[in-house]
Amino acid sequence: MARAEDVKVKPRSKRAKRIMEKREPKLVEEVKTVLLLHGNKTSQVTKDVLTDIHRLKFREALKLSRKNDDMKPFEPGGETHLEHLARKADCGMFVLDSHTKKRPHNLILGRFFDHRVYDLLELGVDKYRAIREFAAAAASVQAGNKPCFAFVGEQFESDPDFRLAKSMLLDLFRGRLVESINLKGVDHVIFVAAMDRKLLLRPYAIRFKKSGTKIPRVELAEMGPEMDLSIRRTRPAAADLEKEAMKRALIHKKKEKNVSRDNLEGKVGRMYVPRQEVETMPLRKMKGLKRDRRETAVAAKAEKKQRSEGAPTPVSV
């Protein structure tokens, strides 16, 4: 039996049609809006974490204040209400906080594809310092700016759980994809280090100082939130769903005429050269022919003068 969310609703107006087309999956993905929401039981630590994430994401995050009893993404059927909210708010990612005796100060990060839960990552907050404790450094960072990332540790390349955590953090904080960026727009860097089964997350504010040259001197000041996160549970994407989500847009380039590519010479072009008329082509004049040309010009001038005066043209016998 199909779920109510899977039933296609036919739009009744052009405005509703545009909204539904905007929410459909796209080959070229737009910026992910993050859905921040609370579980059944929460702690003040996880509430402050969501507040700081919302501050860093600025307008690219939607924070809900009510508690949700039926949100347990790792359990079968526990993601139904979560997917409903994602479809309603058109969000591509979520952060859910909870607090239990078995898993204290718990954060669940997940991504959506076609408003279905794609993959999940569960983190435990072992240590936390809020942005308000670094007010001086955080005040210099403009909300919504793109950060730099620094991942330290070979686990980010070898361990699948750490690879998932790296991908999840990049999607969470990277913001909009741009082709170029102003140097002054990069005002903070997020440093993430891997240690055993933990992630040490340290954001720093970037300050440009005078150096006497055109290139400024760069200094870092810790701005928060400072967090030590332990990896608890992960759930990678299903094989069929991953194959569907990894489709790339086919870019059709305009065909170039008379152009081919060679492994050795690279780009090779063929030029069109018209047929050359050698007989009528003005060639280089040699010095030995100047006398003959001069005599021919004098004879032609005399003949032209005789014709203009009406005199008979002499005929050689």
Side-chain angles (χ1 to χ4, degrees), residues 42-79:
T42 60
S43 64
Q44 188 60 40
V45 173
T46 56
K47 288 182 179 179
D48 293 341
V49 171
L50 293 189
T51 301
D52 287 347
I53 293 176
H54 184 262
R55 179 175 178 180
L56 291 176
K57 292 291 293 181
F58 195 45
R59 296 180 181 177
E60 298 170 359
L62 176 62
K63 185 181 178 184
L64 304 181
S65 58
R66 292 183 179 181
K67 294 183 179 181
N68 301 274
D69 300 337
D70 52 351
M71 286 193 183
K72 298 178 181 179
F74 281 95
E75 298 181 5
E79 70 277 359

Side-chain angles (χ1 to χ4, degrees), residues 34-295:
V34 182
L35 183 64
L36 306 175
L37 63 166
H38 303 289
N40 184 20
K41 295 181 180 180
T42 60
S43 64
Q44 188 60 40
V45 173
T46 56
K47 288 182 179 179
D48 293 341
V49 171
L50 293 189
T51 301
D52 287 347
I53 293 176
H54 184 262
R55 179 175 178 180
L56 291 176
K57 292 291 293 181
F58 195 45
R59 296 180 181 177
E60 298 170 359
L62 176 62
K63 185 181 178 184
L64 304 181
S65 58
R66 292 183 179 181
K67 294 183 179 181
N68 301 274
D69 300 337
D70 52 351
M71 286 193 183
K72 298 178 181 179
F74 281 95
E75 298 181 5
E79 70 277 359
T80 305
H81 186 54
L82 183 62
E83 292 175 352
H84 171 71
L85 291 178
R87 182 178 288 101
K88 186 176 181 180
D90 194 18
C91 295
M93 195 172 181
F94 75 92
V95 180
L96 174 67
D97 72 327
S98 61
H99 178 70
T100 60
K101 184 178 180 180
K102 186 178 179 180
R103 294 185 178 88
H105 311 305
N106 198 52
L107 292 176
I108 299 178
L109 283 70
R111 290 178 287 194
F112 297 104
F113 173 73
D114 194 14
H115 303 126
R116 292 173 290 172
V117 175
Y118 180 73
D119 52 4
L120 297 171
L121 171 68
E122 188 177 56
L123 302 172
V125 183
D126 300 331
K127 179 184 175 182
Y128 172 72
R129 293 178 64 191
I131 292 180
R132 61 176 178 270
E133 300 183 25
F134 307 91
S140 61
V141 176
Q142 184 176 356
N145 278 5
K146 292 179 68 64
C148 288
F149 286 92
F151 291 90
V152 179
E154 58 89 18
Q155 293 96 322
F156 290 113
E157 303 298 332
S158 59
D159 194 326
D161 292 344
F162 280 87
R163 284 202 302 265
L164 178 62
K166 178 181 177 180
S167 176
M168 201 79 72
L169 291 175
L170 285 174
D171 272 353
L172 180 61
F173 292 109
R174 70 179 177 181
R176 298 181 179 274
L177 296 178
V178 294
E179 297 180 357
S180 60
I181 190 170
N182 189 2
L183 179 61
K184 294 183 179 180
V186 182
D187 53 10
H188 65 291
V189 57
I190 297 178
F191 177 86
V192 185
M195 183 180 296
D196 297 332
R197 293 288 296 176
K198 291 187 177 182
L199 298 172
L200 308 182
L201 191 143
R202 303 289 187 270
Y204 293 91
I206 300 176
R207 294 176 177 176
F208 299 103
K209 302 291 184 179
K210 294 182 178 180
S211 62
T213 60
K214 293 183 179 180
I215 301 176
R217 179 167 56 89
V218 179
E219 293 183 357
L220 299 180
E222 195 168 1
M223 56 165 283
E226 176 185 331
M227 288 187 286
D228 292 352
L229 306 172
S230 57
I231 298 179
R232 291 176 176 171
R233 289 185 293 177
T234 60
R235 194 185 79 182
D240 54 345
L241 188 61
E242 183 180 8
K243 183 178 179 180
E244 185 181 356
M246 290 298 176
K247 289 182 180 179
R248 293 181 176 268
L250 297 177
I251 302 176
H252 299 283
K253 295 184 178 180
K254 188 177 180 181
K255 186 178 180 181
E256 297 179 290
K257 293 183 179 180
N258 302 326
V259 175
S260 60
R261 294 191 176 275
D262 192 357
N263 294 331
L264 298 177
E265 300 180 2
K267 192 174 182 180
V268 180
R270 186 176 61 184
M271 298 177 60
Y272 171 73
V273 180
R275 183 180 178 183
Q276 298 181 1
E277 302 291 341
V278 183
E279 298 177 355
T280 59
M281 185 182 298
L283 302 176
R284 182 180 178 183
K285 300 177 181 179
M286 301 173 59
K287 293 184 178 179
L289 300 177
K290 284 186 177 181
R291 183 175 179 182
D292 296 341
R293 293 199 302 272
R294 191 181 304 112
E295 292 177 354

Side-chain angles (χ1 to χ4, degrees), residues 2-11 20 23-25 87 114-115:
R3 297 181 302 175
E5 291 82 358
D6 297 335
V7 178
K8 296 294 183 180
V9 180
K10 188 175 181 180
M20 293 185 66
R23 294 184 177 182
E24 289 180 354
R87 182 178 288 101
D114 194 14
H115 303 126

